[in-house]
Amino acid sequence: MVTVNVGMLHYVIDHIYGAFMHRTKLSPLFFSRGWGGSKLELLERMIKDLFPEVEGQNWPPTLIQPIWRTVWETRTACLREGVFRTTCDEQLISALPPESHTARVAFLVPKYVPPQKTACVVHLAGTGDHTFDRRLRLGGPLLKQNIATMVLESPFYGRRRPLLQRGAKLLCVSDLLLLGRATIEETRSLLHWLDSEGGFGKMGVCGLSMGGVHAAMVGSLHPTPVATLPFLSPHSAVVAFCDGILRYGTAWEALRDDLAVQKTVMTLEEVRQRMRNVLSLTDVTRFPIPKNPNAVIFVAATDDGYIPKHSVLELQKAWPGSEVRWVTGGHVSSFLLHNDEFRRAIVDGLNRLEWKEPPL
């Protein structure tokens, strides 16, 4: 009788999937156009301004007024789609591709339940998640528990993808930081809209993989308590692009050549170290502790080929009071098989928040 180590099998599946996606010639590499020049310098400067020593976490979100259209309605639920101009400041807007200037959201709400008795969670995109569908499927069953779902289309993804970009393979390193900063700004504005205009009684933010990193950042920087639910997420993009499987899908030679054009000669190892330095700006452990850390629940996989266990535990250590839950599987298999666990974390995170007092 042959004994199969199931955990190792999940881990191997992640590496096979990663090799197929990132080490074959079927798709281009990440950052094939280099670092991004002056855009990268701008973003490095702006992201440093987010950290607690400058009290960055308390700047007020920009109020938005999305333009809505109804996609479908049933007896118990309604799906709407909305558009609004990105809430980034003018410096960031000038760095964003024109295709990303307009943000799009899907909004799935229960009917006949007053918003003050309803919670709403904003779902953020993982790497390669270009549509609303998967996240709507994750949130849809929660309608029965009076939890609405709002899905943001990321900059650089879906209809917001630049013309020259193929799939999720961002052209420059600066695009990764831009995507993150714009997502933070837009999500904080959506949460502010849900609170002040929508009148929802509780709010949360969740995301898978890259979306979980962004969810953690939003939960950290939002001025009021929100349930914060990162799923299968590292504490930093360094883990994914420098240590994990995505390092095989990164255009290291192109990054070295881009530096050579700027009269900076580096070995590939030095190029990787520079990438570590740049992406250290995405280290969530440097961000402020969220207003209610008890409403932070990380869901991580036991045999994740993309996200090592120590990365998840670093976040929990940085945010005392937060919880880590483990599901059996790898990154890919958990993404496919453990939606019920993700939903349970959403429900439990929201239950750890107080209902907002309705206006008099």
Side-chain angles (χ1 to χ4, degrees), residues 105-144:
V105 288
F107 191 25
L108 181 62
V109 290
K111 288 168 74 172
Y112 311 122
V113 183
Q116 64 267 25
K117 294 185 177 178
T118 307
C120 186
V121 176
V122 182
H123 293 237
L124 303 182
T127 302
D129 190 356
H130 289 271
T131 69
F132 297 140
D133 299 348
R134 190 203 59 74
R135 287 170 282 164
L136 287 173
R137 285 197 300 273
L138 178 62
L142 297 172
L143 286 173
K144 294 174 186 171

Side-chain angles (χ1 to χ4, degrees), residues 202-203 226-229 292 294-297 323 325 343-354:
K202 295 182 182 183
M203 291 163 300
V226 293
T228 304
L229 307 147
N292 185 347
N294 293 322
V296 178
I297 301 175
E323 180 187 353
R325 296 180 179 179
R343 292 186 194 105
R344 192 170 294 119
I346 289 171
V347 171
D348 292 347
L350 289 167
N351 282 341
R352 295 173 188 180
L353 294 176
E354 299 292 327

Side-chain angles (χ1 to χ4, degrees), residues 194-241:
L194 289 166
D195 183 14
S196 60
E197 300 289 311
F200 282 84
K202 295 182 182 183
M203 291 163 300
V205 58
C206 74
L208 274 153
S209 198
M210 175 185 76
V213 176
H214 295 152
M217 292 174 174
V218 171
S220 159
L221 296 168
H222 200 64
T224 59
V226 293
T228 304
L229 307 147
F231 305 143
L232 310 177
S233 302
H235 73 285
S236 162
V238 171
V239 175
F241 285 98

Side-chain angles (χ1 to χ4, degrees), residues 59-276:
W59 88 97
T62 304
L63 186 60
I64 52 172
Q65 293 295 340
I67 299 166
W68 298 102
R69 70 177 183 89
T70 300
V71 180
W72 54 254
E73 264 186 281
T74 66
R75 191 171 49 82
T76 57
C78 173
L79 178 67
R80 292 189 290 164
E81 286 188 11
V83 294
F84 61 94
R85 179 173 165 82
T86 183
T87 48
C88 296
D89 66 25
E90 289 306 316
Q91 268 190 309
L92 278 175
I93 288 174
S94 66
L96 276 171
E99 296 91 341
S100 291
H101 288 186
T102 299
R104 291 176 63 240
V105 288
F107 191 25
L108 181 62
V109 290
K111 288 168 74 172
Y112 311 122
V113 183
Q116 64 267 25
K117 294 185 177 178
T118 307
C120 186
V121 176
V122 182
H123 293 237
L124 303 182
T127 302
D129 190 356
H130 289 271
T131 69
F132 297 140
D133 299 348
R134 190 203 59 74
R135 287 170 282 164
L136 287 173
R137 285 197 300 273
L138 178 62
L142 297 172
L143 286 173
K144 294 174 186 171
Q145 299 182 62
N146 295 337
I147 298 172
T149 292
M150 182 174 268
V151 180
L152 174 65
E153 180 181 67
S154 283
F156 295 90
Y157 278 24
R159 294 188 198 172
R160 304 180 73 184
R161 180 164 57 91
L163 194 60
L164 295 176
Q165 178 186 307
R166 285 185 57 195
K169 298 300 174 71
L170 302 173
L171 295 171
C172 299
V173 175
S174 60
D175 293 346
L176 184 66
L177 299 183
L178 257 178
L179 188 163
R181 180 66 195 254
T183 297
I184 291 169
E185 298 282 359
E186 291 167 8
T187 307
R188 291 175 81 248
S189 290
L190 288 169
L191 289 168
H192 186 39
W193 183 88
L194 289 166
D195 183 14
S196 60
E197 300 289 311
F200 282 84
K202 295 182 182 183
M203 291 163 300
V205 58
C206 74
L208 274 153
S209 198
M210 175 185 76
V213 176
H214 295 152
M217 292 174 174
V218 171
S220 159
L221 296 168
H222 200 64
T224 59
V226 293
T228 304
L229 307 147
F231 305 143
L232 310 177
S233 302
H235 73 285
S236 162
V238 171
V239 175
F241 285 98
C242 299
D243 301 329
I245 292 171
L246 292 183
R247 71 184 185 273
Y248 301 117
T250 298
W252 298 110
E253 284 84 3
L255 292 168
R256 181 183 60 189
D257 294 346
D258 188 29
L259 290 169
V261 169
Q262 301 167 44
K263 305 290 189 289
T264 305
V265 178
M266 285 190 181
T267 65
L268 283 178
E269 194 48 52
E270 289 170 325
V271 172
R272 290 188 177 94
Q273 187 55 50
R274 179 165 196 251
M275 179 73 92
R276 282 180 184 279

Side-chain angles (χ1 to χ4, degrees), residues 1 20 37 67 144 173 199 216 246 263 280 282 292 304 307 315:
M1 182 174 152
F20 179 74
I67 299 166
K144 294 174 186 171
V173 175
L246 292 183
K263 305 290 189 289
S280 68
T282 67
N292 185 347
D304 194 321
I307 316 299
L315 260 176

